Amino acid sequence: MTSDEQSTGIAHIADLDRLIHEPARLMILAVLYVVESADFGFLMNQTGLTYGNLSSHMSKLEEGGYIEVVKQFKGKRPNTMLSLTDAGRAAFQDYRQTLLDLLSDLPD
Amino acid sequence: MTSDEQSTGIAHIADLDRLIHEPARLMILAVLYVVESADFGFLMNQTGLTYGNLSSHMSKLEEGGYIEVVKQFKGKRPNTMLSLTDAGRAAFQDYRQTLLDLLSDLPD
DNA sequence: TAAATCGCTTTGTATCGCAAAGTATTTTGT
DNA sequence: ACAAAATACTTTGCGATACAAAGCGATTTA
């Protein structure tokens, strides 16, 4: 164990995945984590995000390889479906465990 | 219950206290939450932050009224002590509960 | 007494999130 | 048939933020 990496202690919180840590994206991933697949409008309802914000966060999660985005037509209108990738699921689980470890083991 | 505030659902994650949410400050507050009082050097060790980063985050937490900073001389050298205010403790507890509610109630 | 160390603060830059504006198509009046 | 409104997003612009690096004043060591 070197000086800057320790299994116990809280310094590893600094390494929290920033792509997940942003509240808007945390919400998106939390929804996708349980429903497996959701369309753009459903996610807007669940998260309270605007079109613009959901769109840009969606792009970042896609670029990071955490979600897959499938665009199709539902009738005559465009429809965007999102789902977690395996990498996204793994990263979310890791993020979740790190935070739970910190927050659970506190007094009061 | 109006359309943009719901007691169940995850949209309230968007309101997470940003002053606490930043990993560097989350670490600082987590330490102060359990030790009540800590000096600058101890916090550097615990968090792995540099002087500059710890200094600026300390200032923001102080401006937000979450910590109290007391500067004194220990022998001939300056020494900076940090401690949580009541407001800081309350805000941290609220932040913690919000995140635990989200992260605890997930399957897998 | 010069150099290094301590204990920080301030500055500069690069990134990021959000709101607002823009795009393309479809549906709904009239 | 034509205009206006709605749907379903994407792109742009800007203000705020975080981090690294440079700076600073004092003290200790060689």
Side-chain angles (χ1 to χ4, degrees):
Chain A
M1 188 168 78
T2 62
S3 62
D4 62 344
E5 51 171 306
Q6 34 188 358
S7 55
T8 183
I10 58 160
H12 62 287
I13 293 291
D15 300 325
L16 271 180
D17 190 334
R18 294 286 187 155
L19 193 51
I20 298 181
H21 195 57
E22 175 62 29
R25 291 191 293 261
L26 183 55
M27 290 191 288
I28 294 168
L29 293 178
V31 172
L32 294 179
Y33 190 74
V34 296
V35 303
E36 292 288 336
S37 166
D39 76 6
F40 198 98
F42 178 76
L43 278 168
M44 278 189 62
N45 282 336
Q46 293 293 304
T47 61
L49 294 170
T50 62
Y51 283 114
N53 292 340
L54 179 51
S55 179
S56 64
H57 288 300
M58 180 177 71
S59 294
K60 290 192 176 170
L61 289 170
E62 190 182 17
E63 283 160 25
Y66 286 2
I67 65 171
E68 188 187 12
V69 178
V70 176
K71 289 173 183 298
Q72 58 195 339
F73 275 84
K74 214 165 192 173
K76 293 185 176 177
R77 289 169 171 287
N79 179 259
T80 301
M81 290 286 280
L82 300 88
S83 59
L84 267 191
T85 61
D86 289 345
R89 178 163 298 268
F92 184 78
Q93 283 168 339
D94 188 58
Y95 172 88
R96 181 195 180 199
Q97 196 57 55
T98 300
L99 261 192
L100 281 176
D101 286 348
L102 172 73
L103 297 176
S104 299
D105 302 338
L106 289 178
D108 300 13
Chain B
M1 188 168 77
T2 61
S3 61
D4 62 343
E5 52 172 307
Q6 33 188 359
S7 57
T8 184
I10 58 161
H12 62 288
I13 293 291
D15 300 324
L16 269 181
D17 190 333
R18 295 286 188 154
L19 192 51
I20 298 181
H21 195 58
E22 176 61 31
R25 293 191 293 261
L26 183 55
M27 289 191 289
I28 295 169
L29 294 178
V31 173
L32 294 179
Y33 189 75
V34 296
V35 303
E36 291 290 336
S37 165
D39 76 4
F40 197 97
F42 177 76
L43 277 168
M44 277 190 61
N45 283 336
Q46 293 294 304
T47 62
L49 294 169
T50 62
Y51 284 113
N53 291 340
L54 178 51
S55 180
S56 64
H57 287 300
M58 181 177 70
S59 294
K60 290 194 174 166
L61 289 170
E62 190 182 18
E63 284 160 24
Y66 287 1
I67 66 171
E68 189 188 11
V69 178
V70 176
K71 289 172 180 302
Q72 58 195 340
F73 274 84
K74 213 165 191 172
K76 296 185 175 177
R77 290 168 170 287
N79 178 259
T80 302
M81 289 286 280
L82 301 88
S83 59
L84 266 192
T85 61
D86 290 344
R89 179 164 297 269
F92 183 78
Q93 282 169 339
D94 188 58
Y95 173 88
R96 180 194 180 202
Q97 196 56 56
T98 300
L99 261 191
L100 281 177
D101 286 349
L102 173 73
L103 296 176
S104 299
D105 302 338
L106 289 178
D108 298 14

